[in-house]
Amino acid sequence: MTRAERIQQVGYDYASRAKIRIDACNLCGSDDQVVLTHRDRYGFPAQTVACARCGLAAMNPRMAAREYAAFYAQWYRPLVSAYHGRTIDAVSVQREQQAYAEEMETLAGPYLEPRRGQSFLDIGGSTGVIAIHFAKRFGIDPTVIDPAPDEIQEADKFGLKTITGLVEEWDPGDRRYDVVGMFQTIDHLLDVKATLEKIRSLLREDGLFLVDIVDFRAACLKNASVELATKIDHPYSLTEFAMESYLARTGFDVLRRAYSADHHLVAYACKPAAPRPDHLPERSEVRDFFRELRQVQNARPAAGGSA
C-alpha cells in the first residue's frame, strides 16, 4: 500500500472542515502574503503562505479551533501513523519522547540544576515523558497540559498533575511557574504571539522558558520540497529568524540555543526580559529565505513518497 493510499484509508476529510482566513501576519501584522504551497505533505488542499515582510510561514486559511480540538482527539495519531507507515500512538511515541527528553536535558541541565523543588509547566506535554524525566533528574514539580485525551491519560499514569485542552483556551487564573517548557509544540499553536505573551505572564521574573521549533527552512532543504515541509497539524512553520523575533517581541532573551542531532529542530533556553515590540528579522535574511525556497521549488519535483 502506498503512502497516499494509507492516508486516504484514515478517512480524514480535511476539505470539509470549518476554516478561518488570517488577514494579518501573527508576528509583524503585515497583510502582504506570498503563497508558497497549495497542498501539504499529506496531499490535503492546504495553502501555506509566508509574510513578505518577516518571512513567517503559516497555513491560510486554517482550521478553526474546534476543528483542531477534534483533530487531536481523534485523527492526529492515525494520520501521522499512515504517513510514516508504522503505528505512532500515545504508547509507542513514549520511546521517542524519552530519547528527546535526554537530548533536551543537555540544553536545559545547566539552568535546571539550581531549580530543585520549583514548579514546571509543560505545554503540549503529550504523555508526560519529558515532564517526569525532568522531575526525576532535576527535582522540579511538573504539570502537563495537552489537547489529546489519550496522551493525558498516559501522563496521568505517572501521577502527574494534568490539564486537558488547548493552551490558547486555558485560563490559568493567578497561577505562576518557575519553569515553562514547550517542546515540539509551538508549530501546533493557533496563535503563537498570544501564547508566548501568556507564557511571559505565567513565568516568574526569575523564571526559565524552554522551547524548540521545527526549522521550516531546514525542513524544506532536507526534503528538497516546500510542500513536504508543511502539514495541517502545523498552522505555523517557523524559522530561526522568525522565532528569535517572536521571543524578542514578547519579552524573552535567549540564553542558549542548540540544534538537535538530526539538525531538524532548534531549541532555546530563555529568560524573561523587557519586550522589544519593534524587533523584526533583517530584510536581507527574509529575501535570502524566499530565494532559497524558490530554488528548492524549481530544482526538481518532490518525491511524493510511496514508503
Side-chain angles (χ1 to χ4, degrees), residues 208-228:
L208 176 70
F209 178 41
L210 304 169
V211 62
D212 66 354
I213 64 168
V214 175
D215 186 352
F216 181 55
R217 195 176 200 165
C220 290
L221 295 172
K222 181 178 179 179
N223 289 296
S225 166
V226 179
E227 286 76 10
L228 292 180

Side-chain angles (χ1 to χ4, degrees), residues 291-302:
R291 188 177 299 114
E292 286 179 355
L293 294 189
R294 292 300 290 155
Q295 289 172 345
V296 167
Q297 288 175 322
N298 291 328
R300 59 183 174 82

Side-chain angles (χ1 to χ4, degrees), residues 265-287:
L265 304 176
V266 188
Y268 298 91
C270 309
K271 66 177 182 179
R276 290 171 278 164
D278 296 326
H279 188 284
L280 282 174
E282 295 292 334
R283 288 188 181 273
S284 59
E285 191 162 28
V286 176
R287 283 196 300 269

Side-chain angles (χ1 to χ4, degrees), residues 138-278:
F138 301 108
I140 54 180
D141 179 23
T143 299
V144 170
I145 178 170
D146 196 275
D150 288 350
E151 307 205 11
I152 285 293
Q153 191 172 41
E154 291 297 313
D156 286 336
K157 294 178 182 177
F158 289 121
L160 294 166
K161 289 172 282 188
T162 60
I163 302 162
T164 304
L166 294 166
V167 67
E168 296 95 323
E169 299 177 346
W170 172 55
D171 180 5
D174 59 358
R175 280 172 281 196
R176 297 293 179 270
Y177 295 88
D178 300 294
V179 181
V180 175
M182 191 159 57
F183 304 108
Q184 298 182 316
T185 294
I186 196 168
D187 326 83
H188 295 269
L189 295 177
L190 305 185
D191 190 334
V192 175
K193 178 176 180 287
T195 302
L196 289 174
E197 289 172 343
K198 178 183 278 192
I199 290 169
R200 180 65 176 81
S201 70
L202 281 169
L203 200 61
R204 293 193 170 96
E205 283 305 310
D206 61 348
L208 176 70
F209 178 41
L210 304 169
V211 62
D212 66 354
I213 64 168
V214 175
D215 186 352
F216 181 55
R217 195 176 200 165
C220 290
L221 295 172
K222 181 178 179 179
N223 289 296
S225 166
V226 179
E227 286 76 10
L228 292 180
T230 67
K231 46 187 175 179
I232 60 169
D233 38 300
H234 281 194
Y236 290 95
S237 296
L238 297 163
T239 59
E240 281 187 80
F241 62 79
M243 184 60 196
E244 291 175 19
S245 188
Y246 261 128
L247 290 170
R249 290 168 75 97
T250 55
F252 295 98
D253 281 347
V254 176
L255 298 169
R256 189 179 190 186
R257 61 181 56 78
Y259 301 101
S260 63
D262 64 0
H263 311 297
H264 206 54
L265 304 176
V266 188
Y268 298 91
C270 309
K271 66 177 182 179
R276 290 171 278 164
D278 296 326

